[in-house]
């Protein structure tokens, strides 16, 4: 009997010990030496590369002891806490948000005596000895990094063709305000004594008020970081997360990392190059594709106004078309030649060469059609056919003239599909800016090259661009969801004597 009692006592002690260990691992009770009780994690969010959470001050490797309120208090230096989240810019503000809604914003200047403390009485507490007392916030739930000079590439952009409406960072959206709503998650039913009992579940989400930028009769397109696109649905919500924005429709995540919204997007898209070409090839038409790298719609308009493109100006007015995001050459070359957006074709950023779906050249091979791709000294993406490489044989600093010669040679052999990629406009744009005289002079040369090719081509012609260009301090650049980068001219017309 004594052995049984002893055994039961030992079992009880073991069970209690295991239970305490589990609670300890779950942070439900404080660890040895902690002066805190269980409380929610403190999150560092906003304009950071990686949001982080803090559970106990004592776990922080840089924890120090300070005198505060006539007592010794173990704290974590605020600068060290923020560093772990890796802010996207060097200049930023720090926004403390408490559970009751009280918030305080301070600059990241002079944070030497700013700390994060933790106690039963005040929860997570921001202590800023070099700042006004009102910056000391109790019961903090989030520390938000708010950058004031974040690039458009790292911002949430709202645009319509010809207009950049707003460019906001995640941190700025936390600061400027958002709506908190309960979004539908799901439903379930059980039977209990013959009675049906239902439950509807919701998620509490921070929603961006996008409606104030969009008129009632305007369509809008949500764009993701990997080139995803989704129509902005009435039931769709742009959700503010820790350091990103998601797009959710009826509880389903459609786009994980949203870069912006395009209001009234044009019907014509970069992917139509593939489908227009395929349709004409199926109709036994010969097709020539001419890609003018870096020619945005606003640049075309400017060049036309200043009489730099007499041949292109003589054509019917081009359609305004939208390129894929990000607005860089590999991404849009792949999109135009596959008919698929980046998240499908696999080329969603610079540096990726392998296309995961067939291109129009693969289609030609299957149909036993003759095709050629005339490009520069090196290829941008992998194709199903060996490209015709063009070298700078006359040492004039350009290969666009050699591309024209190579294209004319290929024409004489009879082709169903000819692709020519002109590059000089893009190079000049990077060096001098989107509307510089240098870019206009190069565009004038390319206009004459296009004229030569079209005059000799018996078939259909598509002239298009892969992206535009915007002005920078160093010259020009592209890759952003802004109107200068995202829209390009798109021509379809007959080649040969029809245009003479």
């Amino acid at each position: 009997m004594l052995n049984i009692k002893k055994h039961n006592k030992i079992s009880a002690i073991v069970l209690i010990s295991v239970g305490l260990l589990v609670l300890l691992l779950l942070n439900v009770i404080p660890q040895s030496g902690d002066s805190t009780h269980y409380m929610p994690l403190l999150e560092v969010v906003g304009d950071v590369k990686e949001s982080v959470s803090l559970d106990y001050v004592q776990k922080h490797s840089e924890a120090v002891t300070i005198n505060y309120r006539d007592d010794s208090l173990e704290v974590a230096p605020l600068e060290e806490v923020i560093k772990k989240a890796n802010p996207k810019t060097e200049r930023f503000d720090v926004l403390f948000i408490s559970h009751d809604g009280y918030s305080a914003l301070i600059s990241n200047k002079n944070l030497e005596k700013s700390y994060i403390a933790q106690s039963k009485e005040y929860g997570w507490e921001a202590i800023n000895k070099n700042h006004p007392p009102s910056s000391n916030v109790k019961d903090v739930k989030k520390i938000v990094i708010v950058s004031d000079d974040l690039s458009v590439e790292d911002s949430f952009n709202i645009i319509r063709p010809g207009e950049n409406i707003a460019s906001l960072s995640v941190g700025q959206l936390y600061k400027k305000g958002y709506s908190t709503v309960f979004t539908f998650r799901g439903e379930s039913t059980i039977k209990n004594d013959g009675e049906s009992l239902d439950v509807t579940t919701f998620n509490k989400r921070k929603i961006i008020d996008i409606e104030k930028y969009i008129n009632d009769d305007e369509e809008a397109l949500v764009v993701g970081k990997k080139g995803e696109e989704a129509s902005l649905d009435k039931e769709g919500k742009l959700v503010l997360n820790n350091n990103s924005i998601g797009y959710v429709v009826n509880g389903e995540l459609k786009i994980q990392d949203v870069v912006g919204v395009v209001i009234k997007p044009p019907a014509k898209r970069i992917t139509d190059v593939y489908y227009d070409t395929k349709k004409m090839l199926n109709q036994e038409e010969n097709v020539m594709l001419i890609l003018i790298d870096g020619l945005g719609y606003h640049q075309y308009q400017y060049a036309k106004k200043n009489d730099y493109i007499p041949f292109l100006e003589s054509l019917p007015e081009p359609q305004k078309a939208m390129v894929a995001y990000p607005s860089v050459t590999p991404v849009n070359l792949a999109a135009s030649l596959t008919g698929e957006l980046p998240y499908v074709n696999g080329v969603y950023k610079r540096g990726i060469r392998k296309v995961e779906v067939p291109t129009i050249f693969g289609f030609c091979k299957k149909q036993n059609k003759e095709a050629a791709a005339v490009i520069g000294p090196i290829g941008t993406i992998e194709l199903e056919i060996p490209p015709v490489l063009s070298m700078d044989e006359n040492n004039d600093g350009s290969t666009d003239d050699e591309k024209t010669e190579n294209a004319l040679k290929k024409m004489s052999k009879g082709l169903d599909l000819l692709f020519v990629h002109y590059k000089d406009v893009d190079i000049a744009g990077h060096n001098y800016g989107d509307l510089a005289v240098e870019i206009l002079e190069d565009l004038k040369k390319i206009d004459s090259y296009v004229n030569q090719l079209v005059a000799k081509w018996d078939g259909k012609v598509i002239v298009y661009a892969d992206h535009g260009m915007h002005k920078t301090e160093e010259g020009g650049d592209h890759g952003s969801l802004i109107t200068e980068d995202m829209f390009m001219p798109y021509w379809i017309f007959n080649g040969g004597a029809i245009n003479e």
Side-chain angles (χ1 to χ4, degrees):
M1 186 70 176
L2 288 174
N3 288 336
I4 294 174
K5 287 184 177 180
K6 184 177 181 181
H7 176 75
N8 289 340
K9 185 176 182 181
I10 292 172
S11 298
I13 292 172
V14 170
L15 287 172
I16 292 171
S17 300
V18 170
L20 289 172
L21 179 60
V22 170
L23 292 174
L24 183 63
L25 292 173
L26 292 174
N27 284 332
V28 174
I29 63 172
Q31 298 183 43
S32 177
D34 283 344
S35 60
T36 60
H37 67 304
Y38 170 72
M39 63 183 66
L41 299 175
L42 175 63
E43 297 177 315
V44 183
V45 302
D47 299 326
V48 295
K49 294 180 180 178
E50 183 178 359
S51 60
V52 298
S53 300
L54 193 64
D55 50 7
Y56 288 102
V57 164
Q58 289 82 355
K59 286 186 179 180
H60 199 283
S61 60
E62 306 293 334
V64 297
T65 301
I66 64 169
N67 291 319
Y68 188 65
R69 287 194 291 261
D70 299 324
D71 197 3
S72 293
L73 189 63
E74 194 167 11
V75 296
L78 179 61
E79 284 184 303
E80 298 302 323
V81 172
I82 291 173
K83 279 182 184 178
K84 291 183 180 297
N86 199 358
K88 292 182 177 179
T89 59
E90 293 184 1
R91 293 170 48 201
F92 54 83
D93 292 332
V94 183
L95 177 66
F96 304 101
I97 302 177
S98 70
H99 283 275
D100 66 2
Y102 179 80
S103 302
L105 183 74
I106 64 172
S107 168
N108 73 328
K109 298 177 182 177
N110 203 358
L111 294 181
E112 290 84 358
K113 293 185 178 181
S114 291
Y115 308 99
I116 295 297
Q118 184 184 37
S119 66
K120 292 180 180 180
E121 186 176 2
Y122 301 117
W124 291 104
E125 183 179 6
I127 300 171
N128 299 292
K129 290 191 172 185
N130 287 337
H131 296 266
S134 56
S135 67
N136 298 328
V137 182
K138 301 179 180 68
D139 200 21
V140 177
K141 67 175 181 178
K142 287 185 187 292
I143 299 173
V144 182
I145 305 304
V146 184
S147 296
D148 57 3
D149 59 350
L150 201 64
S151 67
V152 291
E153 289 85 355
D154 289 321
S155 300
F156 172 77
N157 300 305
I158 304 170
I159 68 171
R160 60 163 51 90
E163 181 184 7
N164 295 314
I165 300 171
S167 183
L168 300 166
S169 71
V170 171
Q172 289 167 349
L173 287 166
Y174 268 100
K175 176 184 172 183
K176 289 179 178 292
Y178 50 83
S179 301
T180 301
V181 301
F182 290 91
T183 59
F184 175 81
R185 180 174 180 176
E187 293 178 331
S188 60
T189 303
I190 63 169
K191 293 283 187 179
N192 190 355
D193 294 332
E195 183 181 3
S196 294
L197 299 177
D198 302 325
V199 62
T200 303
T201 57
F202 301 87
N203 284 321
K204 186 179 180 181
R205 298 188 185 274
K206 297 178 284 292
I207 304 300
I208 300 170
D209 183 15
I210 191 69
E211 287 77 13
K212 64 182 179 182
Y213 299 102
I214 305 173
N215 297 325
D216 291 338
D217 60 341
E218 290 182 321
E219 295 182 356
L221 191 70
V222 183
V223 180
K225 190 174 184 178
K226 291 188 176 182
E228 307 98 323
E229 294 181 3
S231 295
L232 185 61
D233 190 273
K234 287 184 178 180
E235 302 301 322
K237 305 293 182 184
L238 289 164
V239 178
L240 184 61
N241 299 317
N242 282 346
N243 65 341
S244 65
I245 297 165
Y247 180 54
V248 176
V249 180
N250 290 326
E252 181 183 353
L253 181 64
K254 294 292 186 180
I255 300 178
Q256 183 172 349
D257 200 344
V258 174
V259 295
V261 172
V262 181
I263 301 171
K264 294 189 70 174
K268 206 67 179 173
R269 302 294 174 80
I270 187 78
T271 48
D272 288 333
V273 174
Y274 173 87
Y275 295 105
D276 289 340
T277 303
K278 185 177 178 181
K279 179 180 178 181
M280 291 184 288
L281 288 171
N282 282 331
Q283 294 171 346
E284 302 302 323
E285 293 268 14
N286 299 329
V287 183
M288 178 167 60
L289 303 178
I290 300 177
L291 170 58
I292 304 178
D293 199 313
L295 178 61
Y297 196 85
H298 73 292
Q299 295 164 286
Y300 152 72
Q301 289 180 311
Y302 188 79
K304 177 182 176 181
K305 180 180 178 181
N306 290 278
D307 299 322
Y308 275 91
I309 47 173
F311 175 70
L312 292 175
E313 187 177 345
S314 71
L315 299 173
E317 189 68 15
Q319 297 179 73
K320 182 180 288 187
M322 182 173 139
V323 304
Y325 181 87
S327 47
V328 296
T329 296
V331 167
N332 282 286
L333 183 57
S336 69
L337 297 181
T338 65
E340 299 289 355
L341 290 171
Y343 75 103
V344 176
N345 69 46
V347 183
Y348 56 86
K349 64 179 180 179
R350 289 185 175 103
I352 299 178
R353 290 175 48 83
K354 185 175 177 57
V355 183
E356 296 180 0
V357 297
T359 73
I360 194 66
F361 299 106
F363 170 79
C364 286
K365 284 187 73 173
K366 282 190 174 182
Q367 299 296 318
N368 294 316
K369 294 182 180 293
E370 293 295 323
V374 179
I375 62 173
I378 56 174
T380 303
I381 62 172
E382 296 177 3
L383 304 174
E384 293 90 341
I385 62 172
V388 179
L389 301 180
S390 304
M391 307 299 173
D392 185 12
E393 296 176 2
N394 57 8
N395 295 314
D396 66 348
S398 169
T399 60
D400 281 356
D401 49 346
E402 284 84 4
K403 291 171 189 172
T404 305
E405 294 173 6
N406 288 333
L408 289 169
K409 290 176 184 177
K410 280 292 180 180
M411 279 187 202
S412 64
K413 298 181 179 180
L415 291 172
D416 298 291
L417 175 64
L418 174 62
F419 171 77
V420 186
H421 184 175
Y422 286 119
K423 188 69 177 173
D424 283 354
V425 168
D426 178 71
I427 295 171
H430 280 288
N431 290 334
Y432 303 105
D434 57 336
L435 301 178
V437 65
E438 290 85 357
I439 200 173
L440 295 172
E441 291 294 342
D442 281 326
L443 185 54
K444 187 175 183 179
K445 291 179 185 178
I446 291 175
D447 183 76
S448 68
Y449 298 153
V450 173
N451 191 5
Q452 292 178 53
L453 297 182
V454 170
K456 298 293 184 181
W457 183 255
D458 182 16
K460 294 288 187 179
V461 180
I462 297 177
V463 179
Y464 71 105
D466 53 349
H467 56 77
M469 185 78 62
H470 64 268
K471 178 71 175 174
T472 66
E473 292 182 2
E474 296 78 18
D477 203 1
H478 55 88
S480 305
L481 191 82
I482 58 176
T483 189
E484 293 87 349
D485 293 2
M486 290 296 297
F487 303 104
M488 54 93 169
Y490 188 102
W491 290 269
I492 300 182
F493 55 94
N494 293 310
I498 296 174
N499 292 282
E500 294 179 355

